[in-house]
C-alpha cells in the first residue's frame, strides 16, 4: 500500500460558502473499498451528525435516532453540508442535514442526507437497563475480517481505523470487532462521542458479512441508528446479516463501548452476484 497524500483526518474544513453551508475537502481516508472513486458511508454519516450537533447545539438534549440516506455514490471531492431544525419542540425535535457534491457537468447534487430525533434528557440512572448482551471478553483473534478485500494500492477507509477482531460472522454467531479511529473526522477538531461512533458505524455491513465480496456485492443504501446511551471509549461492533431470496438483505448490529451496549443499527442491502 502506498500513501497517496491522505493525512490524519477524513476531511479538511474549507470554510463557509456564500449561502451559509460549510465546505469540506475529503481526504483519501474516506475512500470505499468497493470503489476508491467513492466515499465509504461512515465519514459522510459522521459529517452529517456533526452538522446537526454543532449547527444547532442545545444543552439538556441529545440525538436519540439518526437515519442516514445514501442517495448515490459520494465522490471523493469537495462537499458542502447544511443543517436545519425541521420540527422544533420543548421535549422532542426533528433535525435534518444534507450533503451536496459537485457533478462532472459542473452542477451540484445532494448525495447524502440525515434526519435525527433529538430528545430532552432527564436523570433515569436508577432505572437504566440494556437488553443486548455485553461484548464478550477475551483476546482479539489474529484473523482479519477484511482480508477478503485483498491488498489495496491506495489509502482507503480501512486504513483509518484499527480493527481487532474477536469473531468472524458465520451461521452461528455475529461478526465482532473492536474499533479505534486513527484519524480525526475534521482536521484540528476533537470529535464528539456521537461523531466518533458514526465514523465507524457503517462498517457493520462488512463486519456482519458472510458472503465473499469477490463473488458478491452487498451495498447498503441507508442506515438507521437508535442510541439509548451516549457512547464512551472502546467501541465495538457486533453485526450479522440476513439475505432474502430476491437480491435484498439486511444487516443489524449492536454498538458497544467498554461499559456495555449503547446503540442498535439496521441497514438495507442490495445483494448482487458479480459477473
Amino acid at each position: 500500500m502506498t500513501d497517496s497524500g491522505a493525512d490524519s483526518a477524513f476531511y479538511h474544513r474549507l470554510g463557509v460558502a456564500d449561502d451559509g453551508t460549510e465546505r469540506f475537502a475529503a481526504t483519501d481516508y474516506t475512500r470505499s473499498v468497493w470503489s476508491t472513486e467513492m466515499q465509504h458511508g461512515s465519514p459522510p454519516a459522521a459529517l452529517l451528525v456533526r452538522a446537526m450537533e454543532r449547527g444547532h447545539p442545545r444543552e439538556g438534549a441529545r440525538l436519540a435516532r439518526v437515519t442516514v440516506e445514501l442517495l448515490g455514490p459520494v465522490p471523493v471531492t469537495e462537499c458542502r453540508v447544511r443543517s436545519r431544525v425541521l420540527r422544533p419542540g420543548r421535549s422532542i425535535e426533528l433535525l435534518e442535514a444534507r450533503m451536496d457534491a459537485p457533478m462532472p457537468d459542473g452542477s451540484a447534487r445532494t448525495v447524502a442526507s440525515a434526519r435525527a430525533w433529538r430528545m430532552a434528557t432527564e436523570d433515569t440512572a436508577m432505572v437504566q437497563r440494556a437488553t443486548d448482551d455485553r461484548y464478550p471478553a477475551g483476546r482479539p483473534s489474529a484473523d482479519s475480517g477484511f482480508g477478503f478485500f485483498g491488498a489495496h494500492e491506495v489509502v482507503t477507509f480501512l486504513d483509518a481505523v484499527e480493527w481487532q477482531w474477536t469473531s468472524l460472522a458465520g451461521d452461528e454467531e455475529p461478526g465482532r470487532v473492536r474499533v479505534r479511529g486513527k484519524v480525526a473526522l475534521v482536521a484540528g477538531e476533537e470529535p464528539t462521542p456521537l461523531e466518533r461512533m458514526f465514523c465507524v458505524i457503517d462498517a457493520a455491513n462488512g463486519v456482519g458479512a458472510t458472503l465473499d465480496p469477490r463473488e458478491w456485492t452487498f451495498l447498503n443504501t441507508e442506515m438507521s441508528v437508535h442510541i439509548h446511551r451516549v457512547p464512551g471509549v472502546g467501541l465495538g461492533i457486533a453485526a450479522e446479516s440476513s439475505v432474502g431470496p430476491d437480491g435484498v438483505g439486511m444487516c443489524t448490529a449492536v454498538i458497544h463501548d467498554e461499559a456495555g451496549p449503547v446503540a442498535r443499527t439496521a441497514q438495507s442491502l442490495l445483494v448482487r452476484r458479480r459477473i
Side-chain angles (χ1 to χ4, degrees):
M1 180 189 72
T2 59
D3 190 325
S4 57
D7 54 13
S8 57
F10 288 118
Y11 300 99
H12 287 277
R13 188 175 184 271
L14 301 178
V16 181
D18 293 340
D19 61 358
T21 61
E22 287 189 284
R23 299 170 51 238
F24 299 91
T27 72
D28 292 336
Y29 281 124
T30 65
R31 295 186 187 274
S32 170
V33 294
W34 292 112
S35 168
T36 56
E37 299 304 311
M38 69 180 187
Q39 296 187 40
H40 186 274
S42 288
L47 203 60
L48 293 169
V49 167
R50 175 190 178 278
M52 292 185 287
E53 282 195 313
R54 301 189 186 220
H56 308 278
R58 178 178 168 184
E59 291 290 332
R62 70 165 178 88
L63 303 187
R65 189 226 67 187
V66 179
T67 296
V68 178
E69 309 286 357
L70 301 173
L71 305 175
V74 181
V76 185
T77 182
E78 180 181 329
C79 52
R80 298 188 176 193
V81 178
R82 61 190 185 277
S83 62
R84 59 175 176 160
V85 177
L86 281 178
R87 186 267 197 192
R90 184 171 60 86
S91 298
I92 303 172
E93 56 189 357
L94 183 64
L95 287 74
E96 180 184 63
R98 305 181 75 84
M99 174 184 286
D100 295 340
M103 295 294 105
D105 63 1
S107 65
R109 179 170 64 84
T110 300
V111 292
S113 66
R115 286 189 174 185
W117 285 104
R118 182 163 61 185
M119 297 183 178
T121 57
E122 185 172 311
D123 185 5
T124 52
M126 72 291 293
V127 294
Q128 70 173 329
R129 67 187 294 261
T131 58
D132 293 303
D133 294 334
R134 292 178 60 91
Y135 194 96
R139 300 184 62 181
S141 166
D143 296 325
S144 171
F146 294 130
F148 44 49
F149 281 107
H152 47 287
E153 298 299 321
V154 299
V155 171
T156 72
F157 173 79
L158 294 184
D159 302 300
V161 180
E162 180 181 291
W163 311 93
Q164 294 185 328
W165 290 84
T166 301
S167 63
L168 303 183
D171 294 335
E172 301 298 327
E173 62 179 341
R176 297 186 181 93
V177 64
R178 295 191 182 278
V179 291
R180 183 184 68 83
K182 297 191 290 186
V183 304
L185 172 59
V186 176
E189 289 185 0
E190 181 67 24
T192 68
L194 288 188
E195 289 171 10
R196 185 180 296 110
M197 183 176 76
F198 273 83
C199 279
V200 298
I201 206 164
D202 192 51
N205 181 11
V207 175
T210 56
L211 296 174
D212 188 334
R214 293 166 295 190
E215 299 179 10
W216 298 89
T217 61
F218 37 94
L219 298 173
N220 62 294
T221 59
E222 49 73 43
M223 70 182 90
S224 291
V225 185
H226 289 81
I227 308 144
H228 64 84
R229 180 167 61 82
V230 175
V233 297
L235 294 177
I237 301 172
E240 51 193 343
S241 295
S242 301
V243 179
D246 55 358
V248 178
M250 67 174 293
C251 174
T252 59
V254 178
I255 312 300
H256 303 256
D257 65 8
E258 291 182 349
V262 299
R264 288 186 183 184
T265 77
Q267 301 167 291
S268 296
L269 306 178
L270 178 71
V271 183
R272 293 292 185 267
R273 182 183 290 275
R274 290 188 183 272
I275 299 175

Tab-separated table of all heavy atoms in Angstrom, residues 130-183:
chain	number	residue	atom	x	y	z
A	130	ALA	N	-30.084	-2.390	29.731
A	130	ALA	CA	-29.777	-2.678	28.330
A	130	ALA	C	-30.106	-4.131	28.067
A	130	ALA	O	-29.668	-5.026	28.805
A	130	ALA	CB	-28.307	-2.393	28.022
A	131	THR	N	-30.896	-4.408	27.031
A	131	THR	CA	-31.330	-5.771	26.753
A	131	THR	C	-30.323	-6.570	25.938
A	131	THR	O	-30.365	-7.802	25.948
A	131	THR	CB	-32.669	-5.750	26.001
A	131	THR	OG1	-32.525	-4.999	24.787
A	131	THR	CG2	-33.758	-5.119	26.854
A	132	ASP	N	-29.429	-5.892	25.232
A	132	ASP	CA	-28.442	-6.608	24.427
A	132	ASP	C	-27.322	-7.144	25.297
A	132	ASP	O	-26.972	-6.567	26.340
A	132	ASP	CB	-27.856	-5.682	23.354
A	132	ASP	CG	-28.888	-5.295	22.319
A	132	ASP	OD1	-29.471	-6.203	21.706
A	132	ASP	OD2	-29.126	-4.085	22.125
A	133	ASP	N	-26.738	-8.260	24.853
A	133	ASP	CA	-25.614	-8.848	25.577
A	133	ASP	C	-24.401	-7.928	25.513
A	133	ASP	O	-24.209	-7.183	24.546
A	133	ASP	CB	-25.240	-10.202	24.976
A	133	ASP	CG	-26.328	-11.236	25.167
A	133	ASP	OD1	-27.106	-11.112	26.137
A	133	ASP	OD2	-26.401	-12.176	24.339
A	134	ARG	N	-23.564	-7.991	26.544
A	134	ARG	CA	-22.316	-7.254	26.525
A	134	ARG	C	-21.373	-7.862	25.496
A	134	ARG	O	-21.446	-9.062	25.188
A	134	ARG	CB	-21.656	-7.281	27.909
A	134	ARG	CG	-22.401	-6.495	28.975
A	134	ARG	CD	-21.702	-6.630	30.309
A	134	ARG	NE	-20.335	-6.123	30.253
A	134	ARG	CZ	-19.996	-4.868	30.529
A	134	ARG	NH1	-20.927	-3.990	30.879
A	134	ARG	NH2	-18.741	-4.475	30.481
A	135	TYR	N	-20.484	-7.059	24.986
A	135	TYR	CA	-19.456	-7.559	24.078
A	135	TYR	C	-18.628	-8.588	24.842
A	135	TYR	O	-18.196	-8.340	25.964
A	135	TYR	CB	-18.575	-6.410	23.612
A	135	TYR	CG	-17.697	-6.725	22.422
A	135	TYR	CD1	-18.097	-6.395	21.135
A	135	TYR	CD2	-16.471	-7.347	22.587
A	135	TYR	CE1	-17.308	-6.671	20.039
A	135	TYR	CE2	-15.669	-7.632	21.504
A	135	TYR	CZ	-16.079	-7.292	20.227
A	135	TYR	OH	-15.293	-7.583	19.154
A	136	PRO	N	-18.401	-9.777	24.262
A	136	PRO	CA	-17.730	-10.834	25.031
A	136	PRO	C	-16.293	-10.479	25.368
A	136	PRO	O	-15.582	-9.843	24.587
A	136	PRO	CB	-17.796	-12.037	24.082
A	136	PRO	CG	-17.916	-11.440	22.717
A	136	PRO	CD	-18.734	-10.197	22.898
A	137	ALA	N	-15.892	-10.888	26.561
A	137	ALA	CA	-14.499	-10.692	26.961
A	137	ALA	C	-13.615	-11.670	26.197
A	137	ALA	O	-14.078	-12.652	25.629
A	137	ALA	CB	-14.361	-10.895	28.464
A	138	GLY	N	-12.349	-11.405	26.196
A	138	GLY	CA	-11.412	-12.305	25.518
A	138	GLY	C	-10.483	-11.538	24.615
A	138	GLY	O	-10.703	-10.386	24.254
A	139	ARG	N	-9.421	-12.195	24.247
A	139	ARG	CA	-8.404	-11.570	23.416
A	139	ARG	C	-8.862	-11.563	21.961
A	139	ARG	O	-9.505	-12.498	21.491
A	139	ARG	CB	-7.080	-12.316	23.546
A	139	ARG	CG	-6.539	-12.352	24.978
A	139	ARG	CD	-5.191	-13.025	25.037
A	139	ARG	NE	-4.202	-12.297	24.253
A	139	ARG	CZ	-2.927	-12.684	24.126
A	139	ARG	NH1	-2.534	-13.806	24.705
A	139	ARG	NH2	-2.088	-11.972	23.409
A	140	PRO	N	-8.525	-10.510	21.224
A	140	PRO	CA	-8.890	-10.460	19.811
A	140	PRO	C	-8.254	-11.600	19.019
A	140	PRO	O	-7.183	-12.104	19.359
A	140	PRO	CB	-8.338	-9.101	19.346
A	140	PRO	CG	-8.184	-8.307	20.592
A	140	PRO	CD	-7.860	-9.294	21.671
A	141	SER	N	-8.939	-12.017	17.970
A	141	SER	CA	-8.409	-13.034	17.079
A	141	SER	C	-7.351	-12.426	16.185
A	141	SER	O	-7.336	-11.227	15.922
A	141	SER	CB	-9.538	-13.608	16.216
A	141	SER	OG	-9.027	-14.353	15.139
A	142	ALA	N	-6.462	-13.256	15.691
A	142	ALA	CA	-5.434	-12.780	14.763
A	142	ALA	C	-5.978	-12.663	13.351
A	142	ALA	O	-5.341	-12.065	12.488
A	142	ALA	CB	-4.235	-13.729	14.776
A	143	ASP	N	-7.152	-13.255	13.098
A	143	ASP	CA	-7.706	-13.228	11.746
A	143	ASP	C	-8.304	-11.868	11.432
A	143	ASP	O	-8.914	-11.237	12.286
A	143	ASP	CB	-8.793	-14.300	11.589
A	143	ASP	CG	-8.238	-15.690	11.728
A	143	ASP	OD1	-7.094	-15.901	11.294
A	143	ASP	OD2	-8.938	-16.549	12.278
A	144	SER	N	-8.148	-11.418	10.196
A	144	SER	CA	-8.707	-10.155	9.759
A	144	SER	C	-9.984	-10.400	8.990
A	144	SER	O	-9.987	-11.112	7.991
A	144	SER	CB	-7.722	-9.393	8.871
A	144	SER	OG	-8.348	-8.278	8.284
A	145	GLY	N	-11.073	-9.796	9.436
A	145	GLY	CA	-12.332	-9.970	8.741
A	145	GLY	C	-12.409	-9.254	7.412
A	145	GLY	O	-13.328	-9.486	6.648
A	146	PHE	N	-11.468	-8.353	7.134
A	146	PHE	CA	-11.484	-7.649	5.865
A	146	PHE	C	-10.401	-8.150	4.927
A	146	PHE	O	-10.141	-7.541	3.892
A	146	PHE	CB	-11.336	-6.142	6.083
A	146	PHE	CG	-12.504	-5.523	6.796
A	146	PHE	CD1	-12.327	-4.708	7.888
A	146	PHE	CD2	-13.804	-5.789	6.370
A	146	PHE	CE1	-13.404	-4.141	8.539
A	146	PHE	CE2	-14.894	-5.234	7.031
A	146	PHE	CZ	-14.692	-4.412	8.113
A	147	GLY	N	-9.761	-9.273	5.266
A	147	GLY	CA	-8.736	-9.818	4.391
A	147	GLY	C	-9.263	-10.225	3.034
A	147	GLY	O	-8.523	-10.274	2.055
A	148	PHE	N	-10.587	-10.518	2.960
A	148	PHE	CA	-11.140	-10.945	1.685
A	148	PHE	C	-11.158	-9.833	0.644
A	148	PHE	O	-11.379	-10.074	-0.534
A	148	PHE	CB	-12.552	-11.521	1.848
A	148	PHE	CG	-13.500	-10.771	2.744
A	148	PHE	CD1	-13.683	-9.409	2.628
A	148	PHE	CD2	-14.227	-11.446	3.710
A	148	PHE	CE1	-14.584	-8.730	3.443
A	148	PHE	CE2	-15.126	-10.774	4.527
A	148	PHE	CZ	-15.302	-9.425	4.399
A	149	PHE	N	-10.936	-8.572	1.061
A	149	PHE	CA	-10.842	-7.500	0.072
A	149	PHE	C	-9.474	-7.465	-0.594
A	149	PHE	O	-9.289	-6.795	-1.605
A	149	PHE	CB	-11.143	-6.145	0.715
A	149	PHE	CG	-12.605	-5.887	0.914
A	149	PHE	CD1	-13.171	-5.940	2.174
A	149	PHE	CD2	-13.433	-5.609	-0.164
A	149	PHE	CE1	-14.526	-5.699	2.364
A	149	PHE	CE2	-14.789	-5.370	0.010
A	149	PHE	CZ	-15.333	-5.423	1.273
A	150	GLY	N	-8.508	-8.190	-0.025
A	150	GLY	CA	-7.186	-8.259	-0.626
A	150	GLY	C	-6.390	-6.985	-0.396
A	150	GLY	O	-6.823	-6.047	0.257
A	151	ALA	N	-5.185	-6.979	-0.941
A	151	ALA	CA	-4.309	-5.815	-0.818
A	151	ALA	C	-4.849	-4.665	-1.661
A	151	ALA	O	-5.421	-4.875	-2.724
A	151	ALA	CB	-2.895	-6.176	-1.268
A	152	HIS	N	-4.684	-3.447	-1.155
A	152	HIS	CA	-5.127	-2.280	-1.908
A	152	HIS	C	-3.949	-1.334	-2.081
A	152	HIS	O	-3.107	-1.189	-1.204
A	152	HIS	CB	-6.321	-1.593	-1.245
A	152	HIS	CG	-6.180	-1.360	0.227
A	152	HIS	ND1	-6.256	-2.365	1.162
A	152	HIS	CD2	-5.961	-0.229	0.939
A	152	HIS	CE1	-6.098	-1.884	2.359
A	152	HIS	NE2	-5.907	-0.580	2.258
A	153	GLU	N	-3.901	-0.687	-3.227
A	153	GLU	CA	-2.758	0.120	-3.611
A	153	GLU	C	-2.850	1.554	-3.134
A	153	GLU	O	-1.867	2.290	-3.197
A	153	GLU	CB	-2.598	0.095	-5.136
A	153	GLU	CG	-2.332	-1.290	-5.700
A	153	GLU	CD	-1.049	-1.902	-5.153
A	153	GLU	OE1	-0.057	-1.146	-4.988
A	153	GLU	OE2	-1.044	-3.107	-4.867
A	154	VAL	N	-4.011	1.996	-2.716
A	154	VAL	CA	-4.181	3.373	-2.251
A	154	VAL	C	-4.753	3.360	-0.841
A	154	VAL	O	-5.281	2.351	-0.372
A	154	VAL	CB	-5.114	4.181	-3.190
A	154	VAL	CG1	-4.537	4.262	-4.589
A	154	VAL	CG2	-6.513	3.577	-3.222
A	155	VAL	N	-4.642	4.476	-0.176
A	155	VAL	CA	-5.218	4.633	1.163
A	155	VAL	C	-6.743	4.602	1.061
A	155	VAL	O	-7.332	5.224	0.177
A	155	VAL	CB	-4.749	5.960	1.785
A	155	VAL	CG1	-5.494	6.251	3.081
A	155	VAL	CG2	-3.247	5.922	2.032
A	156	THR	N	-7.392	3.858	1.954
A	156	THR	CA	-8.846	3.792	1.998
A	156	THR	C	-9.330	3.913	3.441
A	156	THR	O	-8.534	4.027	4.381
A	156	THR	CB	-9.386	2.477	1.412
A	156	THR	OG1	-9.101	1.401	2.320
A	156	THR	CG2	-8.783	2.182	0.039
A	157	PHE	N	-10.641	3.812	3.608
A	157	PHE	CA	-11.256	3.865	4.928
A	157	PHE	C	-10.676	2.800	5.861
A	157	PHE	O	-10.528	3.039	7.070
A	157	PHE	CB	-12.770	3.680	4.798
A	157	PHE	CG	-13.490	3.548	6.104
A	157	PHE	CD1	-13.775	4.652	6.881
A	157	PHE	CD2	-13.883	2.293	6.565
A	157	PHE	CE1	-14.434	4.523	8.098
A	157	PHE	CE2	-14.548	2.157	7.772
A	157	PHE	CZ	-14.821	3.272	8.547
A	158	LEU	N	-10.348	1.627	5.343
A	158	LEU	CA	-9.817	0.558	6.192
A	158	LEU	C	-8.542	0.972	6.906
A	158	LEU	O	-8.246	0.479	7.993
A	158	LEU	CB	-9.553	-0.702	5.363
A	158	LEU	CG	-10.766	-1.409	4.764
A	158	LEU	CD1	-10.334	-2.689	4.066
A	158	LEU	CD2	-11.813	-1.712	5.833
A	159	ASP	N	-7.770	1.883	6.313
A	159	ASP	CA	-6.524	2.347	6.919
A	159	ASP	C	-6.749	3.412	7.984
A	159	ASP	O	-5.823	3.769	8.716
A	159	ASP	CB	-5.602	2.911	5.835
A	159	ASP	CG	-5.293	1.887	4.759
A	159	ASP	OD1	-4.734	0.835	5.097
A	159	ASP	OD2	-5.642	2.134	3.586
A	160	ALA	N	-7.973	3.935	8.093
A	160	ALA	CA	-8.268	4.990	9.049
A	160	ALA	C	-8.695	4.450	10.405
A	160	ALA	O	-8.878	5.223	11.343
A	160	ALA	CB	-9.374	5.900	8.505
A	161	VAL	N	-8.868	3.131	10.507
A	161	VAL	CA	-9.403	2.508	11.716
A	161	VAL	C	-8.528	1.324	12.098
A	161	VAL	O	-8.029	0.590	11.233
A	161	VAL	CB	-10.860	2.034	11.494
A	161	VAL	CG1	-11.425	1.376	12.755
A	161	VAL	CG2	-11.747	3.186	11.047
A	162	GLU	N	-8.326	1.154	13.393
A	162	GLU	CA	-7.642	-0.037	13.908
A	162	GLU	C	-8.699	-1.096	14.201
A	162	GLU	O	-9.663	-0.843	14.931
A	162	GLU	CB	-6.882	0.315	15.180
A	162	GLU	CG	-6.139	-0.854	15.804
A	162	GLU	CD	-5.431	-0.432	17.072
A	162	GLU	OE1	-4.452	0.333	16.987
A	162	GLU	OE2	-5.877	-0.857	18.169
A	163	TRP	N	-8.536	-2.298	13.620
A	163	TRP	CA	-9.523	-3.369	13.734
A	163	TRP	C	-8.954	-4.510	14.582
A	163	TRP	O	-7.912	-5.056	14.250
A	163	TRP	CB	-9.879	-3.909	12.346
A	163	TRP	CG	-10.207	-2.849	11.344
A	163	TRP	CD1	-9.344	-2.256	10.461
A	163	TRP	CD2	-11.485	-2.235	11.122
A	163	TRP	NE1	-10.008	-1.313	9.705
A	163	TRP	CE2	-11.317	-1.284	10.088
A	163	TRP	CE3	-12.745	-2.408	11.694
A	163	TRP	CZ2	-12.371	-0.503	9.614
A	163	TRP	CZ3	-13.797	-1.635	11.227
A	163	TRP	CH2	-13.604	-0.697	10.200
A	164	GLN	N	-9.634	-4.874	15.652
A	164	GLN	CA	-9.239	-6.011	16.484
A	164	GLN	C	-10.410	-6.984	16.536
A	164	GLN	O	-11.380	-6.778	17.266
A	164	GLN	CB	-8.840	-5.551	17.893
A	164	GLN	CG	-7.593	-4.687	17.918
A	164	GLN	CD	-7.165	-4.362	19.345
A	164	GLN	OE1	-7.993	-4.244	20.247
A	164	GLN	NE2	-5.879	-4.211	19.556
A	165	TRP	N	-10.297	-8.047	15.755
A	165	TRP	CA	-11.407	-8.976	15.581
A	165	TRP	C	-11.476	-9.985	16.717
A	165	TRP	O	-10.478	-10.578	17.116
A	165	TRP	CB	-11.259	-9.714	14.246
A	165	TRP	CG	-11.495	-8.819	13.080
A	165	TRP	CD1	-10.587	-7.980	12.486
A	165	TRP	CD2	-12.723	-8.627	12.385
A	165	TRP	NE1	-11.183	-7.296	11.468
A	165	TRP	CE2	-12.489	-7.668	11.379
A	165	TRP	CE3	-13.995	-9.179	12.516
A	165	TRP	CZ2	-13.491	-7.247	10.504
A	165	TRP	CZ3	-14.985	-8.766	11.647
A	165	TRP	CH2	-14.731	-7.810	10.650
A	166	THR	N	-12.701	-10.185	17.218
A	166	THR	CA	-12.973	-11.232	18.202
A	166	THR	C	-13.560	-12.465	17.520
A	166	THR	O	-13.226	-13.590	17.869
A	166	THR	CB	-13.942	-10.715	19.279
A	166	THR	OG1	-13.361	-9.582	19.919
A	166	THR	CG2	-14.228	-11.793	20.311
A	167	SER	N	-14.453	-12.266	16.544
A	167	SER	CA	-15.014	-13.391	15.796
A	167	SER	C	-15.451	-12.901	14.428
A	167	SER	O	-15.826	-11.739	14.257
A	167	SER	CB	-16.208	-14.010	16.536
A	167	SER	OG	-17.262	-13.078	16.665
A	168	LEU	N	-15.389	-13.802	13.437
A	168	LEU	CA	-15.882	-13.506	12.108
A	168	LEU	C	-17.335	-13.955	12.011
A	168	LEU	O	-17.752	-14.907	12.675
A	168	LEU	CB	-15.034	-14.216	11.049
A	168	LEU	CG	-13.532	-13.911	11.075
A	168	LEU	CD1	-12.834	-14.631	9.930
A	168	LEU	CD2	-13.280	-12.420	10.995
A	169	ALA	N	-18.120	-13.272	11.197
A	169	ALA	CA	-19.530	-13.603	11.053
A	169	ALA	C	-19.696	-14.992	10.454
A	169	ALA	O	-18.975	-15.376	9.524
A	169	ALA	CB	-20.231	-12.567	10.183
A	170	GLY	N	-20.618	-15.759	10.980
A	170	GLY	CA	-20.894	-17.098	10.477
A	170	GLY	C	-22.343	-17.465	10.727
A	170	GLY	O	-23.170	-16.622	11.106
A	171	ASP	N	-22.665	-18.731	10.529
A	171	ASP	CA	-24.046	-19.180	10.710
A	171	ASP	C	-24.473	-19.161	12.177
A	171	ASP	O	-25.666	-19.025	12.474
A	171	ASP	CB	-24.207	-20.598	10.153
A	171	ASP	CG	-24.019	-20.653	8.649
A	171	ASP	OD1	-24.246	-19.605	8.000
A	171	ASP	OD2	-23.631	-21.718	8.135
A	172	GLU	N	-23.517	-19.303	13.087
A	172	GLU	CA	-23.864	-19.461	14.494
A	172	GLU	C	-23.666	-18.199	15.324
A	172	GLU	O	-24.214	-18.094	16.413
A	172	GLU	CB	-23.032	-20.602	15.106
A	172	GLU	CG	-23.238	-21.943	14.419
A	172	GLU	CD	-24.677	-22.426	14.513
A	172	GLU	OE1	-25.315	-22.130	15.547
A	172	GLU	OE2	-25.149	-23.080	13.572
A	173	GLU	N	-22.878	-17.245	14.865
A	173	GLU	CA	-22.603	-16.064	15.679
A	173	GLU	C	-22.313	-14.864	14.790
A	173	GLU	O	-21.920	-15.019	13.630
A	173	GLU	CB	-21.428	-16.317	16.616
A	173	GLU	CG	-20.107	-16.606	15.922
A	173	GLU	CD	-18.978	-16.812	16.925
A	173	GLU	OE1	-19.115	-16.387	18.085
A	173	GLU	OE2	-17.958	-17.387	16.532
A	174	PRO	N	-22.505	-13.666	15.339
A	174	PRO	CA	-22.227	-12.462	14.552
A	174	PRO	C	-20.735	-12.204	14.436
A	174	PRO	O	-19.923	-12.785	15.168
A	174	PRO	CB	-22.914	-11.357	15.374
A	174	PRO	CG	-22.892	-11.862	16.775
A	174	PRO	CD	-23.048	-13.354	16.670
A	175	GLY	N	-20.375	-11.354	13.492
A	175	GLY	CA	-19.017	-10.850	13.466
A	175	GLY	C	-18.838	-9.829	14.569
A	175	GLY	O	-19.744	-9.032	14.848
A	176	ARG	N	-17.689	-9.858	15.233
A	176	ARG	CA	-17.432	-8.933	16.334
A	176	ARG	C	-16.039	-8.335	16.167
A	176	ARG	O	-15.067	-9.068	15.964
A	176	ARG	CB	-17.525	-9.634	17.691
A	176	ARG	CG	-18.897	-10.207	18.023
A	176	ARG	CD	-18.918	-10.752	19.437
A	176	ARG	NE	-20.202	-11.339	19.790
A	176	ARG	CZ	-20.490	-12.635	19.655
A	176	ARG	NH1	-19.578	-13.477	19.172
A	176	ARG	NH2	-21.681	-13.088	20.006
A	177	VAL	N	-15.957	-7.029	16.277
A	177	VAL	CA	-14.670	-6.353	16.136
A	177	VAL	C	-14.637	-5.132	17.042
A	177	VAL	O	-15.631	-4.432	17.197
A	177	VAL	CB	-14.415	-5.944	14.652
A	177	VAL	CG1	-15.431	-4.920	14.179
A	177	VAL	CG2	-12.990	-5.447	14.457
A	178	ARG	N	-13.509	-4.922	17.687
A	178	ARG	CA	-13.277	-3.686	18.417
A	178	ARG	C	-12.615	-2.694	17.472
A	178	ARG	O	-11.745	-3.071	16.682
A	178	ARG	CB	-12.404	-3.927	19.650
A	178	ARG	CG	-13.088	-4.821	20.685
A	178	ARG	CD	-12.328	-4.835	21.999
A	178	ARG	NE	-12.959	-5.721	22.966
A	178	ARG	CZ	-14.000	-5.397	23.728
A	178	ARG	NH1	-14.518	-4.184	23.627
A	178	ARG	NH2	-14.512	-6.259	24.582
A	179	VAL	N	-13.033	-1.451	17.548
A	179	VAL	CA	-12.563	-0.462	16.589
A	179	VAL	C	-12.020	0.770	17.315
A	179	VAL	O	-12.517	1.161	18.366
A	179	VAL	CB	-13.696	-0.022	15.627
A	179	VAL	CG1	-14.067	-1.151	14.696
A	179	VAL	CG2	-14.932	0.445	16.396
A	180	ARG	N	-10.975	1.331	16.732
A	180	ARG	CA	-10.417	2.585	17.250
A	180	ARG	C	-10.031	3.441	16.060
A	180	ARG	O	-9.218	3.038	15.226
A	180	ARG	CB	-9.187	2.332	18.120
A	180	ARG	CG	-8.604	3.608	18.746
A	180	ARG	CD	-7.330	3.304	19.511
A	180	ARG	NE	-6.258	2.905	18.628
A	180	ARG	CZ	-5.465	3.760	17.957
A	180	ARG	NH1	-5.657	5.069	18.063
A	180	ARG	NH2	-4.499	3.301	17.181
A	181	GLY	N	-10.644	4.614	15.957
A	181	GLY	CA	-10.320	5.515	14.870
A	181	GLY	C	-8.904	6.048	15.002
A	181	GLY	O	-8.479	6.446	16.095
A	182	LYS	N	-8.172	6.065	13.906
A	182	LYS	CA	-6.802	6.564	13.902
A	182	LYS	C	-6.694	7.966	13.333
A	182	LYS	O	-5.619	8.571	13.367
A	182	LYS	CB	-5.903	5.609	13.105
A	182	LYS	CG	-5.818	4.209	13.704
A	182	LYS	CD	-4.741	3.374	13.065
A	182	LYS	CE	-5.079	2.993	11.639
A	182	LYS	NZ	-4.079	2.064	11.060
A	183	VAL	N	-7.789	8.495	12.787
A	183	VAL	CA	-7.772	9.839	12.220
A	183	VAL	C	-8.974	10.619	12.754
A	183	VAL	O	-9.954	10.032	13.209
A	183	VAL	CB	-7.800	9.811	10.679
A	183	VAL	CG1	-6.653	8.975	10.126
A	183	VAL	CG2	-9.130	9.288	10.151
